[in-house]
């Protein structure tokens, strides 16, 4: 309470809105129905981890799933500037508020203040605010390999160690993020989607070729 009262409001930073938009799914894309079904079936887990090299359709596949699921979601495409803790929280706040405009009021006060509290305070308010969301919700963090700040890693670890019951997090990356995957997996709280699963089958390659030939 005292910390909140000491924070002076200032104008918010400009938002690059394309960072909050999931990839478009074009008509000629192949729909990987089995993977989409698996993503849907495992959304009760706190975390889905999608790891593969560039060009394997990680983001598009997740976007296809979000287009089919009935659960509401937000998308955040990360880049180097998100290694700044305040920027990270600022964008995460606004991504969630694209769906729930009146949510995360405590965190909103902090990230719009002239001084940023320590990360551990921000994390606690974030978790509490997420627990108050009125319905099941999916948060997608794309291009997580762009993050190299250990404090940001701790944010994800803390959330996954204290998972809000109605939030499912999807982390998309070209390599394993330095979070405690072993512990999460040991509690059966993780759905792991890897390169071997994202590779096209022979039938899918034929389908893709036919779609391109018809364009």
């Amino acid at each position: 309470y005292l910390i909140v009262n000491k924070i002076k409001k200032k104008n918010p930073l400009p938002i690059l809105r394309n960072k909050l938009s999931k990839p478009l799914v074009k008509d000629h894309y192949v729909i990987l129905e089995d993977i989409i079904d698996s993503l849907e079936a495992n959304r009760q887990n706190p975390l889905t981890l999608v790891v593969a090299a560039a060009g394997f359709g990680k983001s598009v596949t997740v976007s296809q799933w979000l287009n089919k699921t009935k659960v509401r979601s937000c998308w955040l495409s990360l880049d180097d500037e998100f290694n700044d803790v305040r920027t990270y929280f600022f964008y995460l706040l606004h991504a969630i508020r694209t769906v729930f405009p009146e949510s995360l009021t405590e965190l909103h006060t902090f990230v719009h203040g002239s001084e940023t509290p320590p990360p551990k305070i921000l994390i606690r308010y974030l978790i509490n605010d997420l627990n108050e969301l009125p319905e099941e919700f999916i948060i997608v963090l794309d291009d997580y390999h762009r993050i190299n700040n250990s404090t940001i890693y701790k944010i994800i670890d803390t959330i996954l160690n204290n998972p809000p019951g109605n939030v499912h997090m999807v982390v998309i990356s070209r390599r394993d993020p330095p979070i405690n995957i072993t512990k999460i997996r040991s509690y059966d709280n993780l759905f792991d989607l890897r390169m071997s699963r994202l590779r096209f089958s022979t039938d899918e390659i034929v389908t893709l070729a036919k779609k391109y030939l018809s364009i």
Side-chain angles (χ1 to χ4, degrees), residues 167-186:
V167 174
H168 178 77
M169 185 171 293
V170 181
V171 173
I172 306 173
S173 180
R174 294 182 186 177
R175 55 181 176 272
D176 277 334
I179 56 180
N180 197 342
I181 296 172
T182 302
K183 181 178 180 181
I184 298 167
R185 186 180 284 113
S186 70

Side-chain angles (χ1 to χ4, degrees), residues 83-133:
N83 286 292
D84 175 76
V85 172
R86 186 173 186 275
T87 300
Y88 182 90
F89 274 104
F90 188 84
Y91 269 87
L92 182 59
L93 165 73
H94 281 275
I96 296 169
R97 280 192 154 208
T98 61
V99 181
F100 302 108
E102 304 301 321
S103 67
L104 280 67
T105 53
E106 298 285 3
L107 187 63
H108 183 273
T109 300
F110 286 125
V111 299
H112 284 79
S114 58
E115 298 179 9
T116 304
K120 65 180 180 180
I121 293 178
L122 294 174
I123 295 170
R124 287 173 179 264
Y125 275 99
L126 172 62
I127 292 172
N128 288 340
D129 284 345
L130 289 176
N131 270 308
E132 293 179 1
L133 293 180

Side-chain angles (χ1 to χ4, degrees), residues 30-35 50-58 61 193-205 208:
V30 174
I31 307 297
L32 303 178
E33 297 287 357
D34 62 326
I35 294 180
V50 184
V51 178
F56 273 79
K58 303 182 295 296
T61 300
L193 183 57
R194 297 283 169 164
M195 191 181 304
S196 57
R197 186 86 183 274
L198 289 165
R199 285 193 178 99
F200 280 3
S201 66
T202 302
D203 289 343
E204 288 164 345
I205 292 172
L208 180 62

